[in-house]
Amino acid sequence: MKTIHASRVLALFEAVEVKTSGRSITVKGPRGTLKRNFNHIRLEFTRLSKSKLRLDLWFATSKELACIRTVCSHITNMMIGVTRGYRYKMRSVYAHFPINCAITESGGVIDIRNFLGEKFVRQVKMLEGVTVAASQKQKDELILEGNDLELVSKSAALIQQSTTVKRKDIRKFLDGIYVSEKGNIVEAEA
C-alpha cells in the first residue's frame, strides 16, 4: 500500500549555507563545499526558512519512505563535514613481520610494504579530498582526514581491504590495518 504524503523537516546549521537546485544539494561551510545529487529518489526539497528544509515524498511505498530519513542523514553528514570535518584513525596490527607504511604525493597515496613478510608493495590511492598522514604520537597509526564522510570511510576501507589475508586461517592471522577510532577534526564544544 502506498502512503499519500510523507515529509520531514531538517534543521540546518547556522554556519552553513545550503542551496537546493531540483534534487541537487550544495552545502558550503568554513571547511569547504560539498555537492550531492539525489536524482535517483523522487523527493521534493522545500526551503521553509533560513534554518529549515522540508523533504516531501508523494505516493511512496514503504521502501521509498525509508529514503526520507536516509537523505536527511546524508545532508546532516555534509553539514558536519563542512563545519567540523571527519577524521579516521587506523592502526597496523602484526604478529611477526612489521608492516611499513610510506606516504607519498603529499598524503594522496600510501605504500604498504612487508605485509606478512611479502615482497609485494601494496599501493592505495586516497579518494578526492582525503589525506592520509602518519601519527606523530602513536606508533603504527595512520590518520585519514577529509570533509566528505563517505570518501574518508571508503578510503579507510580501501586500506583495510588491501591487507586482507589470503589462503590462511583468518582466526590465527589477524595481521592488517584496521580502523581504531572515528571522530571529527574540529571537536564539538561541550
Side-chain angles (χ1 to χ4, degrees):
M1 192 174 99
K2 292 195 173 186
T3 305
I4 294 172
H5 178 246
S7 70
R8 188 175 184 92
V9 176
L10 180 67
L12 304 176
F13 294 1
E14 289 177 18
V16 171
E17 183 184 327
V18 178
K19 290 182 184 171
T20 58
S21 172
R23 292 185 190 146
S24 297
I25 295 243
T26 306
V27 179
K28 193 181 280 186
R31 292 185 52 83
T33 305
L34 291 175
K35 292 178 184 153
R36 183 115 188 207
N37 192 348
F38 295 105
N39 278 345
H40 58 287
I41 302 169
R42 296 183 303 108
L43 268 177
E44 199 177 286
F45 296 111
T46 311
R47 194 66 179 261
L48 298 177
S49 67
K50 192 173 182 181
S51 63
K52 286 193 166 115
L53 180 71
R54 189 178 73 209
L55 288 77
D56 294 303
L57 190 58
W58 301 86
F59 301 105
T61 61
S62 60
K63 285 189 178 180
E64 290 172 330
L65 286 173
C67 293
I68 296 177
R69 180 75 181 259
T70 304
V71 171
C72 285
S73 296
H74 284 312
I75 297 169
T76 305
N77 288 341
M78 289 166 71
M79 289 189 292
I80 293 171
V82 295
T83 52
R84 301 200 330 240
Y86 289 100
R87 175 184 287 150
Y88 273 39
K89 291 183 180 179
M90 302 185 80
R91 293 288 303 270
S92 298
V93 178
Y94 50 85
H96 187 272
F97 295 102
I99 300 171
N100 298 329
C101 297
I103 295 153
T104 56
E105 294 180 25
S106 65
V109 176
I110 181 167
D111 295 332
I112 300 164
R113 290 184 173 81
N114 201 32
F115 175 68
L116 293 178
E118 297 172 1
K119 297 294 180 200
F120 178 72
V121 178
R122 292 161 169 80
Q123 191 174 66
V124 182
K125 289 188 173 108
M126 297 295 103
L127 299 172
E128 188 180 346
V130 181
T131 58
V132 63
S135 176
Q136 302 297 322
K137 297 177 183 175
Q138 186 74 42
K139 182 180 177 252
D140 296 327
E141 186 176 61
L142 299 172
I143 298 173
L144 281 77
E145 292 181 341
N147 292 344
D148 195 338
L149 175 64
E150 290 195 16
L151 295 180
V152 173
S153 58
K154 198 181 269 189
S155 296
L158 289 172
I159 293 173
Q160 183 174 334
Q161 288 172 353
S162 72
T163 58
T164 50
V165 178
K166 307 250 187 335
R167 297 189 192 93
K168 288 183 177 68
D169 186 358
I170 58 170
R171 295 171 297 179
K172 181 71 177 167
F173 291 85
L174 300 171
D175 293 26
I177 302 174
Y178 301 103
V179 174
S180 63
E181 189 181 325
K182 299 175 185 180
N184 298 103
I185 298 169
V186 180
E187 293 303 319
E189 294 85 30

